[in-house]
Amino acid sequence: MNFRAWSWLTLGALAACTSGAKDGEDTDTVEDTDVVVADTDVPDTDVADTDIEGPHVLHICAPTVGNICPYAGSSRNGFNGDGHDKLDSWFSFPMSITFSPYGKPAIADWNNHKIRVVNDDGTLTTIMGTNFLGDGDALGNDAKPAGALGTDVNLNHPTQQEYRPDGVLVSASWHTHKLRTWDPATNLVHVYLGSSPGFNEPANATAGTSFDAHSCLLNQPRQIHIDSAGDMYIVDMRNERIRKLDVDAWTISTVAGTGAKAVSAGGDALTSAFNFPKSGNPEPGGAIAMSADESVMYIADTESHVIKALDLESGTITVLAGLAGTSGDVDGASADARFNYPVGLALDGDTLFVADANNHKVRAIDVTTGAVSTFVGTGEPTCAYLGDVALPEMCDEQYAAGDGGPASQATLYRPFGVDLDLDGNLVIADTYNNRFRIVYR
């Protein structure tokens, strides 16, 4: 299938096409990703860009402060196998990348239904996922103590991942309503939390009460954050809550959200609503980032188009930037700023970076004042579109999009994720451009 055939499917439609798939079942959506296993010979990328035939991303790009350069992905939509240099590798709507001192950079290759890592030699390896989509391995061993090899485990649109200090990777297995772990020492995957979609805290329970997590149900968990104590915060997207897993006690509680989807300016965290995507076939949404002292959690309330701050000591939520329920593209003071589908966060000191998907930008917020500025992007998408912004288009400009120049003059196309590498550079999941890009700081 030609790459441009994607132009009629939104992310929500892609998720809908696969939501009923059985383990190991080949579906139309997997076929449509143009899965191609390439020749095992890895191309030589240590050459000048003028020596590479055909459209391609820059392979030589100056790491000058303020410049934007390719980090991974050729901008082709699909899967061409592992073992290639990261700039020659294909992705399909990648959602996030995670940098950690505890493991290799890890990527949620969303519509390829895989978790992949960047090796020290710059090549990619799949650690979780197959060429099929589904929910676990054929024998169900990932839900048993034995576990299953990561490359035997079918996934369905994973969205984000984070390493524990012991090097184990925890994945938000979004469309299977679970968290899964991958152990690099054994390559085994286990279901860590969740089973079928739902929410099963007692209806008459006091808000914030902890419950046994063994039978916990989640509904499209979009992101996790592991704190210094090893406990885990979960953006439970379609349950419209942020929840906390106490790992030692193995209990779970709601720390914010009522379960209702609504526009809210804040207040008491347990009586304040979120506006995370919850339609019949939603796109991924909702994101969190934690302050260094773990006293404040920043929240992207995606469909309210605001960034909120949750004071974990007082249990109160305030709007850090934006106007709840109002979208736009405005820099400036906290209350004057406007976002449009903010969906990814990364914090560096007092600067909070925001993947502002429908503005095709990365914004920067000074968390001490709430002031907002544009850090990456012109506001124009890399490819022009007609009508629905969620309908992806393809264009030749995706291979360049301003790489090699100032980040403020580059174009993005619906970025869904941001993270900081170990040197403090910003890496962007440029989702509709099917690649990752790095801004040197």
Side-chain angles (χ1 to χ4, degrees):
M1 174 175 286
N2 187 283
F3 300 118
R4 297 179 188 277
W6 280 111
S7 61
W8 62 276
L9 288 176
T10 66
L11 296 188
L14 290 173
C17 288
T18 60
S19 61
K22 299 177 182 178
D23 294 351
E25 180 180 351
D26 197 359
T27 70
D28 290 341
T29 298
V30 173
E31 181 181 348
D32 282 350
T33 57
D34 207 359
V35 175
V36 177
V37 179
D39 192 330
T40 55
D41 291 335
V42 178
D44 181 7
T45 60
D46 189 19
V47 294
D49 284 284
T50 54
D51 294 333
I52 304 174
E53 296 182 0
H56 61 275
V57 300
L58 282 178
H59 282 58
I60 299 175
C61 188
T64 305
V65 172
N67 265 15
I68 187 168
C69 292
Y71 176 82
S74 70
S75 202
R76 286 175 166 82
N77 185 336
F79 179 67
N80 63 337
D82 286 330
H84 298 280
D85 182 88
K86 61 184 180 178
L87 293 178
D88 297 310
S89 298
W90 300 3
F91 298 108
S92 187
F93 302 110
M95 280 287 146
S96 66
I97 187 167
T98 298
F99 293 90
S100 170
Y102 307 124
K104 298 175 182 179
I107 290 168
D109 194 354
W110 190 75
N111 206 51
N112 280 327
H113 315 289
K114 301 176 189 290
I115 303 295
R116 306 168 75 182
V117 296
V118 181
N119 300 310
D120 294 342
D121 64 358
T123 61
L124 293 182
T125 298
T126 297
I127 61 169
M128 197 186 306
T130 69
N131 284 339
F132 302 94
L133 71 140
D135 186 5
D137 63 293
L139 300 177
N141 285 332
D142 73 327
K144 302 173 184 177
L149 286 175
T151 50
D152 290 338
V153 174
N154 304 300
L155 301 179
N156 191 340
H157 295 107
T159 47
Q160 186 262 349
Q161 56 286 321
E162 189 166 327
Y163 284 98
R164 300 189 322 210
D166 62 0
V168 169
L169 186 74
V170 184
S171 167
S173 198
W174 181 69
H175 221 264
T176 60
H177 317 286
K178 298 175 179 69
L179 306 183
R180 284 184 161 93
T181 60
W182 170 77
D183 187 338
T186 63
N187 290 318
L188 291 177
V189 167
H190 290 86
V191 173
Y192 188 65
L193 188 71
S195 55
S196 58
F199 182 80
N200 58 342
E201 292 182 8
N204 59 350
T206 303
T209 301
S210 296
F211 299 93
D212 183 357
H214 287 92
S215 59
C216 170
L217 299 181
L218 305 171
N219 198 334
Q220 291 188 277
R222 197 277 164 135
Q223 186 190 344
I224 60 169
H225 171 76
I226 302 171
D227 69 13
S228 60
D231 296 328
M232 193 175 301
Y233 291 90
I234 304 165
V235 178
D236 196 357
M237 190 185 90
R238 290 186 77 184
N239 279 327
E240 300 290 338
R241 292 172 167 88
I242 294 171
R243 304 170 78 182
K244 182 179 181 180
L245 177 68
D246 185 316
V247 172
D248 288 337
W250 205 250
T251 58
I252 193 161
S253 60
T254 296
V255 297
T258 63
K261 175 180 169 65
V263 175
S264 170
D268 181 88
L270 294 173
T271 59
S272 180
F274 292 117
N275 200 10
F276 300 146
K278 198 178 183 177
S279 65
N281 300 304
E283 295 185 322
I288 54 177
M290 191 75 76
S291 65
D293 64 1
E294 300 185 333
S295 65
V296 179
M297 178 187 291
Y298 299 100
I299 305 164
D301 195 356
T302 300
E303 291 191 341
S304 283
H305 311 292
V306 293
I307 308 302
K308 295 178 175 179
L310 166 59
D311 185 318
L312 291 168
E313 296 177 0
S314 67
T316 57
I317 292 178
T318 56
V319 172
L320 174 67
L323 178 64
T326 302
S327 64
D329 183 5
V330 181
D331 289 337
S334 169
D336 298 329
R338 298 291 182 268
F339 302 88
N340 194 343
Y341 210 84
V343 73
L345 300 176
L347 183 66
D348 185 23
D350 290 333
T351 302
L352 181 66
F353 295 102
V354 181
D356 194 4
N358 287 354
N359 282 326
H360 316 287
K361 290 182 175 183
V362 174
R363 316 286 287 282
I365 305 176
D366 182 336
V367 297
T368 65
T369 65
V372 177
S373 59
T374 295
F375 189 69
V376 186
T378 64
E380 293 296 324
T382 303
C383 300
Y385 59 85
L386 297 174
D388 189 351
V389 66
L391 289 170
E393 296 288 347
M394 301 294 174
C395 62
D396 290 341
E397 181 57 25
Q398 290 179 289
Y399 298 104
D403 284 340
S408 59
Q409 297 176 24
T411 62
L412 303 174
Y413 194 7
R414 296 203 81 206
F416 269 70
V418 284
D419 199 14
L420 298 160
D421 73 8
L422 299 186
D423 294 321
N425 302 307
L426 184 73
V427 180
I428 305 161
D430 196 358
T431 302
Y432 274 32
N433 279 329
N434 295 299
R435 61 191 181 106
F436 294 88
R437 302 168 76 185
I438 183 168
V439 179
Y440 292 98
R441 302 173 60 225

